[in-house]
Amino acid sequence: MGPATPSEKTVLAAVAGILAERSTTMDRHWNGAIAGTDPEELHDLRVNARRVQAALRIFRDILPKKSRKHADRLKRLIRLMGDTRELDVFLASLDERRPSIAGDLRALELLAARVAQEREDRHRALVRALRQSTWNADFRRFLEELT
């Protein structure tokens, strides 16, 4: 692909603006997801990461090929987020069912404890990946190159 025409530069600048807005929203929840004290932080990070992923997919044909590397890296992070988030949802559903279960709750409590431990293990893996990730900074540099 040769040098971008003025109209192509305008389109790329608009796309970069869309991606920057979405990734900035994602950045706001990054540290909250690492802290792990509020499951909604992870949820919001994952939702916004998926929005960035969708935008990268939508604009794939007009973005430089290097955008695919960012999309692949983001996909791996999203998968780790999903592993943890699914267990957050499952634990919440167990809590919601607790009042409707008559009798001995030991089995439910054992299940909840096991799932909570699995959630902690997956969250630790996610935290390692998020702390080691340079995705944010690399993606910001990529966006600056587009404008």
Side-chain angles (χ1 to χ4, degrees):
M1 182 155 71
T5 66
S7 61
E8 289 170 335
K9 286 181 182 178
T10 301
V11 170
L12 282 175
V15 169
I18 291 167
L19 289 167
E21 180 183 316
R22 299 226 181 271
S23 66
T24 297
T25 304
M26 191 176 128
D27 291 346
R28 281 190 223 127
H29 301 285
W30 196 274
N31 288 331
I34 288 173
T37 55
D38 181 359
E40 290 307 307
E41 287 291 329
L42 173 57
H43 171 68
D44 291 342
L45 174 62
R46 184 173 177 233
V47 165
N48 286 290
R50 291 177 72 182
R51 288 177 179 164
V52 171
Q53 182 184 45
L56 285 169
R57 191 176 317 113
I58 290 166
F59 298 119
R60 177 180 33 226
D61 292 339
I62 61 172
L63 287 169
K65 288 197 186 297
K66 153 189 320 193
S67 70
R68 293 178 187 150
K69 175 185 80 169
H70 296 291
D72 290 343
R73 290 175 62 200
L74 184 59
K75 182 179 181 177
R76 285 190 290 277
L77 289 173
I78 290 170
R79 189 174 310 120
L80 288 171
M81 291 175 212
D83 289 347
T84 304
R85 179 63 185 159
E86 289 169 4
L87 293 176
D88 285 338
V89 171
F90 186 69
L91 285 168
S93 74
L94 289 178
D95 282 343
E96 290 170 5
R97 288 193 169 96
R98 192 175 302 269
S100 66
I101 297 175
D104 191 356
L105 294 176
R106 280 183 289 185
L108 181 67
E109 289 168 0
L110 286 171
L111 176 61
R114 183 166 172 87
V115 172
Q117 182 58 55
E118 179 65 23
R119 190 256 180 226
E120 283 305 309
D121 293 345
R122 290 183 186 190
H123 183 252
R124 270 194 295 281
L126 173 62
V127 167
R128 264 192 312 278
L130 292 176
R131 285 188 173 147
Q132 293 172 356
S133 178
T134 58
W135 188 88
N136 299 26
D138 295 345
F139 193 65
R140 241 185 303 307
R141 277 191 297 278
F142 168 71
L143 294 176
E144 288 170 7
E145 293 170 7
L146 292 180
T147 56

